[in-house]
Structure formats: C-alpha cells, structure tokens
Amino acid sequence: MKRLQLISIGELDGIVLEGLAVELANHFAIPCEVLPHTIDPSFAFHGERRQYHSSKILAELGQFVRPHTWRILGVTGTDLYIPILTFVFGEAQMGGPGSVVSYYRLRQEFYGLPGDGDLLRERLLKEAVHELGHTLDLTHCDDYRCAMSASHSVELIDLKENAFCSNCAERVLSMTQME
C-alpha cells in the first residue's frame, strides 16, 4: 500500500513529525510514516542570502522515493527561498512526489511575538496540506479559506483552513482515484 512519507530536513526545533504524520494521514486517508533519516541541508545553503534553496532540497528528496511512496514531504526549520522570491514557506513538484515545507517564518517568534506551539502546528499543517495539494496538480485557489489559496504571509495562512474547498477536494479525489 502506498504511503505518505515525512522526513526531517536538518534538526527540528520542537516540531514532532509524528503528530503531523497523524494529522496528514487523517486528512488524506492514507498511511503516513516518518522516515528515520535526516537530510543535512547544508548543500542548499546560499551564503549571501543566509537561506536554503528549496528546489535543491526538493531534488534531494528524490533519493528517498520508493515504489510504495505516495508522496514525500520534507519538513525543516530553515529559511527557504527560490531565486525569484525573498522567501517561501514551502515548495512542491507539481504532479510529482516531492514537497518541502519550512516552519521558520511560521513561528510567532520570527515576528517578535511570544511563541505559540498550537498556532505553529496549525500553520505547519495548513502549509503541508497546501504543498501536498500541489503534488496532486492543484494550483492556487481563489477561495481564501481553501488550503490551496496562495500563502504570501502568515496572516493569509491564518485566514485559510487546513482543508480543500469543495472544488479542490473533488479534483484531489479524481487524482487519487487515477493513481
């Protein structure tokens, strides 16, 4: 049976992948496992930007894809970027198996506010669902409440839900039935 796999990208600061795995397994109705590996992201570090190139990390995830892999999600606490943007919360291979999400800018502490573990876990789940949606060929949705709405700021992430709107959910259902 196919599985959603989670893998740590670097050391995770207080984030428990097992909890995220349970949430994602329930959300996508598919078994989910945490791989016992950690990818050292140092190869993707850009010295001038002081950030990590998410596309390079995505490419690295490919070595962990197996025949039983449904999708693989890398989770990191590092600050991610792609060259055309200042930062990204995550990136995914459209229609492919890999996605990565960072909680670096999802933390309240990044904005000078007291930490909030529950809010961080909620934001991380929303972004994980969003990036996994891209692996199912979903593009950004105009419904601001949908998990597939664009995420340019934490305020927009807080507005949306961790679930797909009915249109996106229908597309996910048709995609998963074809696999």
Side-chain angles (χ1 to χ4, degrees), residues 58-128:
L58 268 182
E60 188 71 11
L61 289 177
Q63 70 172 307
F64 294 96
V65 173
R66 302 288 183 266
H68 64 270
T69 303
W70 177 67
R71 300 289 186 273
I72 186 166
L73 173 69
V75 179
T76 185
T78 62
D79 195 16
L80 298 177
Y81 80 98
I82 58 173
I84 61 169
L85 295 174
T86 306
F87 72 92
V88 292
F89 293 114
E91 184 181 0
Q93 298 167 323
M94 288 293 291
S99 58
V100 62
V101 64
S102 170
Y103 60 84
Y104 183 83
R105 292 175 186 255
L106 299 178
R107 298 172 300 121
Q108 287 288 78
E109 297 91 325
F110 181 81
Y111 305 97
L113 300 170
D116 185 333
D118 290 339
L119 182 59
L120 175 59
R121 283 186 287 281
E122 182 180 317
R123 288 173 175 169
L124 184 60
L125 175 61
K126 290 176 182 179
E127 285 309 294

Side-chain angles (χ1 to χ4, degrees), residues 16-42:
V16 181
L17 285 185
E18 287 78 12
L20 181 61
V22 169
E23 293 280 348
L24 291 172
N26 290 333
H27 188 83
F28 288 98
I30 191 161
C32 186
E33 68 179 344
V34 176
L35 297 179
H37 307 284
T38 297
I39 297 175
D40 177 357
S42 60

Side-chain angles (χ1 to χ4, degrees), residues 8 20 31 43 53 55 59 67 82 100 110 125 127 138 147 151 154 156-157 159 164 166:
S8 171
L20 181 61
F43 67 92
H53 195 298
S55 302
I82 58 173
V100 62
F110 181 81
L125 175 61
E127 285 309 294
L138 293 179
S151 307
V154 289
L156 292 174
I157 293 170
L159 285 175
F164 300 123
S166 59

